[in-house]
Amino acid sequence: MYEAELVPNISFRLIIIDKSSFICIRLTQQYESICVYVLINSIIFFNHLFVVKHNTIMRIYISLFFLLISNLISAQNYTISGYVRDAENGEELIGATVYVKQIKNGTISNSYGYYSLTLKKGDYDIVFSFLGYENIVKHLSLNKSVKQNISLKLTSKLANEVTIQADKIDRNLSSIELGTVKMPVKSIKALPAIFGEVDILKSIQLLPGVQSAGEGSAGFYVRGGGPDQNLILLDGANVYNSSHLFGFFSVFNADAIKDVKLVKGGMPANYGGRLSSVLDISMKEGNMKKFKAQGGIGLISSRLTLEGPIKVDTSSFIISGRRTYIDFISQPFLSDTSMFAGSGYYFYDLNAKVNYRLSDKDRLFLSSYFGRDVFSFNNNEDDMHMNIPWGNATTSLRWNHLFSDKLFVNSTLLYSDYKFDIDIIQSGFELKLFSGITDYSYTVDFNYFPNINHKISFGGQFIRHSFVPSSVSLSTEEEDTNIGEMLKQYANDVAIYINDEFDVTEKLKLNIGLRPTYFQQVGPFNRYIKDDEGSITDTIVYAKGENVVRFVHLEPRISARYRLNSKSSLKAGFTQNYQYIHMASISSVSMPTDLWVPSSDVVKPQFGTQYSFGYFRNFKDNTYEASAELYYKTLENQIEYMPGSTPGDNVGDNADNNFTFGSGQSYGLELFFKKNFGTTTGWIGYTLSKTTRIFEDINNGKEFPVKYDRRHDVSLIINHSFNDKWTASIVFVYATGNTYTPILGRYFMENGTIVTEYGDYNSYRMKAYHRMDFSLTYTLKKTKMLESSFNFSVYNLYNRHNPYFIYFDFEGDITEGVFSTFAKQVTIFPILPSIAWNFKF
């Protein structure tokens, strides 16, 4: 044990216990005891995994120790802290600005609305603001630490927003966030939607650097990464399949969503497990003040949300449901005598959340999501019946606690599950196929605020993965047969992290992060060994809990912001990420049949490195903002199915025996210009990019463009408020066409076989994709009980026949020497008008 007094009346005590180091900082007078043993013990854990000299580890201990106490020993500092909330419903506001006029600096509230500012003794004017809310200015004579909870009111008039927000801190200039976008749900709801259904994932596709997977699809690609390289979180839980209706709708009901944040560059160390992006979505907590209901009725779906207090200002709930009725609409067109009678499709989802404020320092949250797509197909003529359900389920149990006004912790237990089933019955035979992934996890996140210029975040995560790449069974009226046993795979996924964000000078801010990761595949597991001809020659059997393979890596994250002047800044970032779970797909878009598999002795972890640089500029009191960002990304250990392989080849075999591996790169320029305030708002985004891959077994080992490589991508969004009743929105998008592999010709051989000659892999492009959408909203007169509006929208306003996919057809008789091959384009969405009635009461 070591004890010392660094300055009068301020002492600390260091206790080191063998194999379980424990640091306790004890500060007298106005300071509270803070024990930070979690981070130190975690470093010791990774010391056993890394072969590092003892003196190096001790230097890490000492550096971390003095980093944590360096800002605690300055006298005459006091802290103002609390929560920023919505005055109407009592919900916490994420990312609210807390700005100190006298020092021209400030902070933002965290993911739970909590903020903390440590300042020298003195008089201060502190401005609390949030987009779309009226500012509150508090004058404080700070001579002791104080708690200050703030409730902000929504602006009463749109015209006032310019004035109200002019005092707002320049978030896009002052923050160190690079390639990070927050989209207010209110803005998302103003955009035109297909069939009147608001879609969060389609909204983020309108941002530079984010590309859609195809016509109408909710899938997305970020800066050249694949669909499995996006970490999609709902209240912290992984969502493995984010779409309904084979990609046409996302699983996120906008009525239940509070906050949407996309990170596409400069990923901080608290996020990991994916290479390209993070889409972090938070659900509403529920109205703390009074009971509310809202919903909407559209052409193919309806939704209803109920929320209210369980105990006013203490506990609340929200429950939100949505269902399509395509199956009901289609039934009148399918008579009982029709060969397709009984066929149909629908999806539904349910969001629920409750929370309870135990005290000023403790709060509990319990949230859950459950969604299913159900597709059924009957062919009575052939006596065939097919049922295909798939979907996600998530649960999050969170505990927030304040150790002190400077130390905030969030602990979360998480459950995530994705399942896909096929059940086919025909002529007495039944075929069943199943695949899925299930996670049980625990995360802990600490936020420590030493002073106004310094913030430290640290924590850890453990995930237990259970994979079922494929399971197939066949039964008849007489017997059941397993076509290969269910091949489950298990893995442990561990990470710790630390982020240190601090101001070096008034102009220069740094964020330095480190994320050590550990991944282990464990038994029970059977590894099938195959020869060059693809036949299984041997089997290695691993017992329950036995190590199959393990990986240990470090992921550094560095970002910087340099403030050029009051109106502009430069930002740069460097990130390295490892991805230990992978999605294998035979399609270029995310489909229910996609398989999730872990890193193994065959599949190495994907590894990505990204360099990014940006220039940011604001105009006219932050009414307009502009940015230009450059990025370069390299990708290693990418996976694809071997040419000619299908998911059916996994039956009775390890799925990864059918993969091939390669590398890739992506680079580009993103331009963005946005108008934030006024009766007319919107943005225009442009991306110039190139994305390629190299696989030894594809395209003869030559570099090729990926399917979603698009040289040019443009989005234009305009929202306009004519008055209190009428608002309109226009969206225009343009993108270079997707790539595809052409057929050059077909030849008749002497032995009677037909040979097809293909061009280079993805060497041709479809026609350019472009369309315009339009939306008009009419708000009815508000009554004491009801607020409602009608939304009229048109998807693909000028009826552009955009290509969905290309297939090849043939004409003539090859035996007569008259035979030709030609490509045909399939278009699925013509002009689509829709209407929806939305209501609140």
Side-chain angles (χ1 to χ4, degrees):
M1 181 179 71
Y2 175 78
E3 185 169 359
E5 190 172 277
L6 299 181
V7 295
N9 298 320
I10 301 178
S11 65
F12 72 89
R13 180 174 296 170
L14 171 64
I15 306 170
I16 300 180
I17 303 173
D18 185 40
K19 298 292 184 181
S20 182
S21 292
F22 182 97
I23 289 182
C24 183
I25 306 165
R26 185 174 183 276
L27 301 173
T28 59
Q29 288 187 344
Q30 73 269 24
Y31 300 96
E32 299 181 32
S33 297
I34 303 172
C35 294
V36 287
Y37 58 90
V38 174
L39 183 62
I40 302 303
N41 283 322
S42 299
I43 293 174
I44 292 176
F45 170 73
F46 277 92
N47 180 30
H48 293 298
L49 303 180
F50 293 103
V51 181
V52 184
K53 292 183 178 180
H54 180 71
N55 60 349
T56 302
I57 290 295
M58 287 307 299
R59 283 197 293 269
I60 294 176
Y61 291 167
I62 295 169
S63 298
L64 286 172
F65 174 70
F66 284 105
L67 176 66
L68 290 170
I69 69 168
S70 61
N71 288 282
L72 290 173
I73 59 175
S74 55
Q76 300 299 308
N77 282 353
Y78 301 101
T79 300
I80 174 175
S81 61
Y83 292 88
V84 184
R85 297 183 174 120
D86 185 308
E88 182 180 353
N89 57 34
E91 287 203 16
E92 280 71 18
L93 297 175
I94 301 172
T97 297
V98 185
Y99 181 65
V100 184
K101 286 187 174 182
Q102 283 75 7
I103 62 174
K104 297 181 179 180
N105 202 349
T107 187
I108 61 172
S109 58
N110 69 5
S111 298
Y112 300 92
Y114 183 76
Y115 75 93
S116 177
L117 287 172
T118 298
L119 305 166
K120 294 180 180 179
K121 180 180 179 180
D123 295 335
Y124 298 99
D125 293 307
I126 301 177
V127 183
F128 298 86
S129 64
F130 192 75
L131 185 64
Y133 289 73
E134 296 179 3
N135 289 1
I136 287 182
V137 181
K138 290 286 185 180
H139 179 79
L140 294 175
S141 295
L142 204 60
N143 54 21
K144 63 179 180 178
S145 294
V146 296
K147 301 284 186 183
Q148 185 72 66
N149 294 331
I150 297 294
S151 296
L152 299 180
K153 296 181 179 180
L154 285 165
T155 55
S156 56
K157 293 183 180 180
L158 182 63
N160 288 341
E161 288 192 20
V162 175
T163 302
I164 290 168
Q165 295 297 328
D167 294 331
K168 172 181 163 298
I169 191 172
D170 304 330
R171 277 283 304 278
N172 62 315
L173 302 181
S174 60
S175 76
I176 201 167
E177 294 174 334
L178 181 65
T180 300
V181 181
K182 289 187 65 176
M183 292 196 70
V185 175
K186 184 178 179 180
S187 299
I188 293 173
K189 288 186 174 183
L191 298 175
I194 185 171
F195 298 124
E197 187 68 33
V198 174
D199 198 296
I200 288 174
L201 295 190
K202 285 192 179 68
S203 300
I204 68 168
Q205 292 171 5
L206 301 174
L207 298 171
V210 184
Q211 298 173 342
S212 68
E215 172 75 284
S217 176
F220 63 100
Y221 304 93
V222 178
R223 291 186 173 180
D228 67 322
Q229 295 173 359
N230 303 313
L231 178 64
I232 302 176
L233 303 174
L234 180 62
D235 272 1
N238 275 302
V239 177
Y240 284 100
N241 188 292
S242 59
S243 61
H244 288 303
L245 190 57
F246 303 98
F248 294 126
F249 296 106
S250 76
V251 300
F252 304 110
N253 181 354
D255 287 349
I257 300 305
K258 175 181 180 179
D259 185 71
V260 179
K261 177 182 176 182
L262 175 70
V263 181
K264 54 184 177 175
M267 190 185 297
N270 54 300
Y271 294 117
R274 301 294 188 276
L275 300 188
S276 290
S277 75
V278 179
L279 182 62
D280 196 347
I281 299 175
S282 301
M283 287 173 53
K284 292 178 180 177
E285 272 92 51
N287 197 308
M288 282 276 190
K289 305 291 186 181
K290 53 187 175 181
F291 179 84
K292 289 282 189 178
Q294 66 172 312
I297 300 174
L299 292 180
I300 66 168
S301 67
S302 292
R303 62 192 189 280
L304 178 65
T305 300
L306 305 175
E307 59 180 319
I310 299 173
K311 183 178 180 181
V312 175
D313 291 331
T314 302
S315 178
S316 65
F317 76 93
I318 182 171
I319 183 168
S320 184
R322 179 176 59 160
R323 192 194 192 279
T324 60
Y325 27 79
I326 305 172
D327 50 334
F328 297 122
I329 295 174
S330 62
Q331 288 309 306
F333 303 97
L334 296 174
S335 65
D336 293 339
T337 58
S338 170
M339 62 183 296
F340 301 114
S343 299
Y345 167 83
Y346 65 92
F347 74 76
Y348 64 91
D349 45 38
L350 182 70
N351 297 77
K353 191 170 186 177
V354 295
N355 72 96
Y356 192 89
R357 292 175 186 161
L358 301 172
S359 67
D360 289 340
K361 292 187 175 183
D362 295 277
R363 189 172 180 182
L364 288 176
F365 304 82
L366 176 63
S367 61
S368 185
Y369 167 84
F370 183 84
R372 282 292 181 269
D373 290 66
V374 180
F375 173 68
S376 58
F377 176 78
N378 292 325
N379 188 328
N380 298 313
E381 186 175 289
D382 295 332
D383 191 26
M384 186 183 79
H385 308 279
M386 180 168 59
N387 190 48
I388 308 178
W390 72 92
N392 302 275
T394 69
T395 301
S396 305
L397 176 62
R398 298 185 177 196
W399 169 54
N400 290 171
H401 178 69
L402 282 172
F403 286 105
S404 71
D405 50 15
K406 295 184 179 182
L407 185 60
F408 178 95
V409 65
N410 176 67
S411 297
T412 312
L413 290 170
L414 298 159
Y415 167 79
S416 179
D417 179 72
Y418 171 69
K419 288 184 173 65
F420 171 75
D421 290 281
I422 296 180
D423 187 1
I424 303 174
I425 301 174
Q426 185 173 24
S427 303
F429 289 88
E430 183 175 11
L431 176 67
K432 292 184 177 181
L433 183 146
F434 171 82
S435 67
I437 177 172
T438 302
D439 290 347
Y440 295 92
S441 58
Y442 171 73
T443 65
V444 59
D445 302 285
F446 291 87
N447 295 146
Y448 177 58
F449 310 91
N451 59 51
I452 195 170
N453 298 317
H454 197 180
K455 176 185 175 182
I456 300 171
S457 302
F458 60 95
Q461 179 183 57
F462 171 80
I463 306 175
R464 172 69 170 184
H465 298 288
S466 176
F467 302 85
V468 183
S470 63
S471 172
V472 180
S473 64
L474 177 67
S475 62
T476 65
E477 296 176 351
E478 290 81 22
E479 61 179 350
D480 294 339
T481 305
N482 282 327
I483 308 176
E485 60 182 315
M486 181 179 289
L487 301 177
K488 287 189 175 183
Q489 292 177 265
Y490 302 92
N492 300 319
D493 196 340
V494 184
I496 62 171
Y497 73 89
I498 181 168
N499 270 321
D500 192 2
E501 182 178 314
F502 56 94
D503 292 338
V504 180
T505 67
E506 278 190 19
K507 293 181 176 293
L508 180 62
K509 180 190 286 284
L510 294 178
N511 186 315
I512 300 175
L514 186 65
R515 185 182 178 91
T517 59
Y518 171 81
F519 186 88
Q520 179 188 33
Q521 184 191 358
V522 296
F525 176 66
N526 293 340
R527 164 57 66 193
Y528 298 111
I529 308 300
K530 303 177 77 172
D531 58 21
D532 294 338
E533 296 180 355
S535 300
I536 297 175
T537 59
D538 195 10
T539 302
I540 302 175
V541 179
Y542 295 91
K544 182 178 180 180
E546 184 179 355
N547 177 69
V548 178
V549 66
R550 63 166 59 98
F551 303 94
V552 183
H553 294 105
L554 287 175
E555 301 178 12
R557 318 282 176 84
I558 302 172
S559 55
R561 182 230 65 202
Y562 185 78
R563 193 74 181 255
L564 296 173
N565 51 49
S566 62
K567 296 182 179 180
S568 60
S569 62
L570 296 174
K571 299 181 184 181
F574 167 79
T575 61
Q576 287 191 332
N577 300 61
Y578 284 89
Q579 181 169 327
Y580 296 104
I581 65 173
H582 321 268
M583 185 178 72
S585 176
I586 59 173
S587 170
S588 61
V589 298
S590 180
M591 296 292 287
T593 52
D594 296 337
L595 303 179
W596 286 93
V597 296
S599 294
S600 64
D601 52 337
V602 173
V603 181
K604 305 307 177 187
Q606 298 181 56
F607 175 59
T609 300
Q610 183 175 182
Y611 307 86
S612 51
F613 177 81
Y615 172 71
F616 298 79
R617 177 76 158 84
N618 282 7
F619 305 89
K620 200 176 179 181
D621 293 328
N622 307 320
T623 300
Y624 301 91
E625 64 179 72
S627 64
E629 295 187 49
L630 292 166
Y631 71 90
Y632 175 74
K633 180 191 294 184
T634 59
L635 303 166
E636 303 295 334
N637 303 327
Q638 304 299 284
I639 73 169
E640 294 282 354
Y641 272 108
M642 292 281 289
S645 297
T646 67
D649 297 333
N650 301 329
V651 177
D653 192 7
N654 304 125
D656 52 23
N657 281 336
N658 300 298
F659 298 156
T660 183
F661 307 96
S663 60
Q665 65 174 357
S666 181
Y667 51 90
L669 167 68
E670 299 170 2
L671 303 177
F672 186 67
F673 183 81
K674 182 181 181 182
K675 185 175 186 288
N676 291 310
F677 315 118
T679 57
T680 302
T681 60
W683 71 86
I684 182 170
Y686 170 72
T687 305
L688 173 68
S689 63
K690 184 176 182 180
T691 303
T692 59
R693 297 284 190 270
I694 298 178
F695 284 79
E696 183 178 349
D697 297 311
I698 299 177
N699 202 38
N700 298 316
K702 297 184 295 183
E703 184 179 70
F704 61 89
V706 295
K707 184 177 181 65
Y708 44 89
D709 170 52
R710 296 177 189 151
R711 200 70 65 245
H712 306 283
D713 194 286
V714 181
S715 298
L716 171 66
I717 293 85
I718 300 174
N719 300 311
H720 181 74
S721 176
F722 296 99
N723 49 47
D724 291 340
K725 292 184 177 295
W726 291 97
T727 59
S729 178
I730 294 176
V731 171
F732 174 77
V733 294
Y734 172 91
T736 303
N738 283 351
T739 63
Y740 70 95
T741 303
I743 291 179
L744 300 182
R746 305 194 85 188
Y747 306 98
F748 187 76
M749 306 299 290
E750 292 182 357
N751 59 5
T753 60
I754 298 176
V755 176
T756 301
E757 180 185 5
Y758 291 91
D760 287 342
Y761 195 80
N762 287 350
S763 59
Y764 276 53
R765 288 191 180 273
M766 300 181 190
K767 293 179 181 178
Y769 179 94
H770 56 86
R771 74 166 202 277
M772 179 178 287
D773 306 331
F774 174 75
S775 174
L776 185 65
T777 300
Y778 176 72
T779 302
L780 300 172
K781 185 177 180 179
K782 182 179 178 181
T783 67
K784 187 175 180 180
M785 295 293 295
L786 179 67
E787 298 177 44
S788 65
S789 64
F790 282 98
N791 177 264
F792 310 89
S793 62
V794 181
Y795 183 89
N796 196 4
L797 183 63
Y798 52 82
N799 199 28
R800 163 74 174 176
H801 290 185
N802 286 303
Y804 186 62
F805 63 85
I806 300 290
Y807 73 95
F808 293 90
D809 204 354
F810 314 97
E811 281 185 348
D813 188 341
I814 197 169
T815 60
E816 298 178 359
V818 182
F819 189 83
S820 61
T821 303
F822 54 93
K824 285 188 175 181
Q825 172 183 304
V826 174
T827 299
I828 59 171
F829 285 142
I831 181 172
L832 291 174
S834 62
I835 183 172
W837 178 57
N838 300 304
F839 59 86
K840 291 182 181 180
F841 61 84

